[in-house]
Amino acid sequence: MITIGIACWTRLVQCFDRRRLRPARRTAVLQRTAIAPPAGAGFFLLAAAFAAGPASADDDRWVMTLSWSPQYCEQHKGSTEPQCTGEFYLVNFGLQAARKVGDQSLGDSCPNVELPENEEDRWMWTVPNRERIRYVWYQQGACTEIGLTAYYAKMDYASRRVELPPEFAGIERRVSLTSDQVKAAFLALNPAMTDQSIELECEARWLSEVRVCFDDEMQFVQCPTKGSCPEQIWLRPLRPDRRGAGNEIFR
């Protein structure tokens, strides 16, 4: 049975309501203390995203990765990134087009389209990890060739499309669940989602990532690949010294 940090979750919801970030909704970047996005940017960014067109004529699917922060930070114990110094659970870790476009000779790299430092600050609200921000842009975003603003808009909007199971925030000890139970918790809060539009990634039995798949209009679709988790999996709890830790990431 999952032990929930009720006080922690209540504080999170209150914080989101106070910042007016989709009140009372637990979206994919919100299992942490809220950091409000730049004021007035939402409409402009969203319009740019849908004007950008599909990532590929053959396959316009997108895969959003949600990092289970307690597991990530266990594997990066020396990290000083906000993701590992504050109270974070599931956070956006990138949005990848199912099929890359552009110069295929570059392999896993993309065209060297510079990511300005001030753009990193804006992305921190969505991806609270500067190292990951750079990876996401150079390895995923630039490959789409839709441009920096449109790509960020898609990533931000994808985050807002997914409500997160509240029972996954504030766990205090290792939790053992089946993969189907984890998926079912997402499906219960996201009626348009199917069990084929969500996949789980694991390190051995430890949940490391949740992947959610969309079409170019950010509607849920079947994921292009299967996850790596066994039937029985474990969720690593947040380190005790991170509970209630500060989450100011604009520093």
Side-chain angles (χ1 to χ4, degrees):
M1 184 175 182
I2 301 176
T3 301
I4 309 299
I6 299 296
C8 174
W9 178 250
T10 301
R11 178 172 56 81
L12 291 180
V13 174
Q14 288 173 343
C15 184
F16 301 146
D17 290 344
R18 186 169 59 250
R19 299 236 184 188
R20 301 179 181 274
L21 181 57
R22 297 194 70 177
R25 292 179 62 85
R26 297 174 291 276
T27 51
V29 291
L30 298 187
Q31 275 193 351
R32 58 178 175 82
T33 300
I35 302 297
F43 178 80
F44 171 76
L45 290 175
L46 186 58
F50 290 115
S56 165
D58 298 324
D59 190 345
D60 65 356
R61 284 178 294 186
W62 298 78
V63 181
M64 179 178 68
T65 299
L66 302 173
S67 169
W68 181 247
S69 293
Q71 179 64 20
Y72 173 86
C73 298
E74 176 67 19
Q75 296 174 308
H76 299 79
K77 290 184 177 178
S79 175
T80 59
E81 294 291 335
Q83 181 181 5
C84 294
T85 58
E87 186 173 347
F88 288 84
Y89 298 96
L90 282 165
V91 298
N92 193 325
F93 233 37
L95 182 69
Q96 185 168 10
R99 178 176 180 269
K100 290 183 179 180
V101 297
D103 187 352
Q104 298 301 308
S105 68
L106 293 172
D108 289 336
S109 298
C110 296
N112 187 20
V113 181
E114 190 65 28
L115 178 66
E117 188 171 343
N118 65 329
E119 286 290 331
E120 287 187 11
D121 290 339
R122 179 172 67 168
W123 287 35
M124 287 288 279
W125 125 256
T126 306
V127 183
N129 186 323
R130 287 190 185 277
E131 291 182 2
R132 184 67 185 184
I133 287 171
R134 289 189 286 271
Y135 174 89
V136 168
W137 172 243
Y138 291 115
Q139 299 292 322
Q140 297 180 6
C143 293
T144 67
E145 296 188 336
I146 65 174
L148 180 62
T149 297
Y151 174 74
Y152 173 78
K154 275 190 177 291
M155 186 169 64
D156 177 68
Y157 185 61
S159 293
R160 300 168 186 270
R161 285 281 289 125
V162 180
E163 289 198 59
L164 301 178
E167 60 266 37
F168 295 160
I171 62 173
E172 298 177 351
R173 59 176 62 93
R174 187 190 77 180
V175 172
S176 179
L177 294 170
T178 66
S179 294
D180 287 343
Q181 284 175 321
V182 174
K183 286 188 175 183
F186 277 87
L187 298 177
L189 292 175
N190 298 275
M193 186 184 288
T194 72
D195 60 358
Q196 294 182 320
S197 57
I198 179 172
E199 293 294 341
L200 309 181
E201 295 294 325
C202 289
E203 297 288 341
R205 287 187 178 275
W206 295 103
L207 178 69
S208 59
E209 295 176 349
V210 176
R211 296 181 179 174
V212 182
C213 302
F214 305 91
D215 63 16
D216 198 56
E217 301 299 321
M218 295 292 105
Q219 301 302 310
F220 299 116
V221 295
Q222 181 177 343
C223 289
T225 59
K226 291 293 184 181
S228 65
C229 289
E231 176 61 20
Q232 199 73 29
I233 64 176
W234 297 331
L235 271 67
R236 189 180 298 279
L238 189 75
R239 285 174 50 185
D241 63 335
R242 295 294 176 252
R243 296 193 188 108
N247 295 84
E248 180 53 59
I249 60 177
F250 296 100
R251 61 185 184 186

